[in-house]
Amino acid sequence: EAGVAQSPRYKIIEKRQSVAFWCNPISGHATLYWYQQILGQGPKLLIQFQNNGVVDDSQLPKDRFSAERLKGVDSTLKIQPAKLEDSAVYLCASSLRLAGASYEQYFGPGTRLTVT
Amino acid sequence: GEDVEQSLFLSVREGDSSVINCTYTDSSSTYLYWYKQEPGAGLQLLTYIFSNMDMKQDQRLTVLLNKKDKHLSLRIADTQTGDSAIYFCAESPFGYKYIFGTGTRLKVLA
């Protein structure tokens, strides 16, 4: 079974530039998550999709971050414009279902973003 | 509020047991998880425990849950150098949203 794929693995941009990350979840996984992991901290949920609908985006800085999952499969996360404090690893995860049982979240390798 | 706390570092000798502790705040958390993160990699689920359980054992891993104190621990028996990584606990209110701790960096000395 193929895992969660993310690209690119690394990205360096200057502040005020734009950047986009791509995630392809495990086939058949309805729920997709984007997390931000700042160095030395645990992952923080940015947005959660169930199929192509947003379930939770309460911690997404909507003035600069956006995400979509148009066909309910792969997803993109965009930052525009980037700030220095956006430097982090962006993790994508997927799971079979949303709630009601312990459905393991499978994580991709992440995209390490450096904003200079 | 939502806050999961862990100690930052733990160092043990190879062959000893490691105990990583975690405190959480949301009493409605139905599942509690332990994840492992190796350098440059994503998170890998090690084990989880349902909130109506006190203990769960899975090979070298033992999870203890004290709901009264909202305390979770992960014991790794016979710790090996390959166990060196960052360990995250996570709570899951109502079974869907994960709230991760700050992570404990385990260093195993040969």
Side-chain angles (χ1 to χ4, degrees):
Chain A
E1 179 183 74
V4 176
Q6 290 188 247
S7 67
R9 291 294 312 275
Y10 304 92
K11 189 75 177 178
I12 301 173
I13 62 172
E14 294 182 352
K15 60 183 179 184
R16 291 187 288 274
Q17 286 187 323
S18 302
V19 65
F21 313 126
W22 174 81
C23 172
N24 190 25
I26 292 173
S27 177
H29 281 196
T31 309
L32 185 147
Y33 311 79
W34 282 103
Y35 289 88
Q36 180 192 57
Q37 186 179 18
I38 293 171
L39 185 65
Q41 299 181 17
K44 182 185 84 172
L45 180 68
L46 292 175
I47 189 167
Q48 183 174 332
F49 292 94
Q50 175 77 359
N51 296 311
N52 61 349
V54 175
V55 173
D56 185 347
D57 63 357
S58 56
Q59 298 196 82
L60 187 73
K62 298 180 186 63
D63 57 333
R64 298 184 301 105
F65 286 64
S66 64
E68 59 184 16
R69 194 185 183 200
L70 291 175
K71 296 182 180 179
V73 181
D74 56 351
S75 175
T76 56
L77 175 69
K78 295 179 183 177
I79 307 175
Q80 181 180 7
K83 293 185 176 181
L84 295 176
E85 59 261 36
D86 298 332
S87 293
V89 175
Y90 291 85
L91 295 165
C92 179
S94 69
S95 67
L96 274 173
R97 280 179 59 181
L98 176 61
S102 174
Y103 286 99
E104 176 180 354
Q105 291 190 20
Y106 294 82
F107 283 81
T111 297
R112 182 177 297 277
L113 173 67
T114 303
V115 182
T116 62
Chain B
E2 300 174 341
D3 202 7
V4 180
E5 295 186 352
Q6 300 178 238
S7 53
L8 291 180
F9 298 101
L10 177 65
S11 179
V12 300
R13 294 204 176 276
E14 192 174 18
D16 288 350
S17 293
S18 308
V19 179
I20 303 171
N21 295 301
C22 168
T23 56
Y24 62 97
T25 56
D26 195 331
S27 58
S28 64
S29 289
T30 51
Y31 294 96
L32 296 126
Y33 302 85
W34 284 104
Y35 275 82
K36 177 182 181 182
Q37 187 175 38
E38 295 181 272
L43 279 73
Q44 174 195 358
L45 178 68
L46 289 177
T47 187
Y48 67 90
I49 189 167
F50 189 49
S51 58
N52 68 352
M53 299 169 65
D54 299 325
M55 185 183 85
K56 181 179 180 181
Q57 189 154 2
D58 184 0
Q59 299 181 353
R60 291 192 297 124
L61 305 179
T62 303
V63 179
L64 295 177
L65 175 61
N66 181 330
K67 281 193 71 176
K68 175 176 172 288
D69 296 336
K70 298 190 183 71
H71 183 264
L72 182 73
S73 68
L74 173 69
R75 179 177 179 270
I76 306 172
D78 188 24
T79 312
Q80 302 298 307
T81 53
D83 295 324
S84 292
I86 301 175
Y87 291 80
F88 292 94
C89 66
E91 62 174 334
S92 182
F94 308 110
Y96 82 96
K97 179 177 176 178
Y98 280 31
I99 301 163
F100 283 89
T102 50
T104 299
R105 183 179 295 274
L106 174 65
K107 183 173 182 179
V108 182
L109 305 172

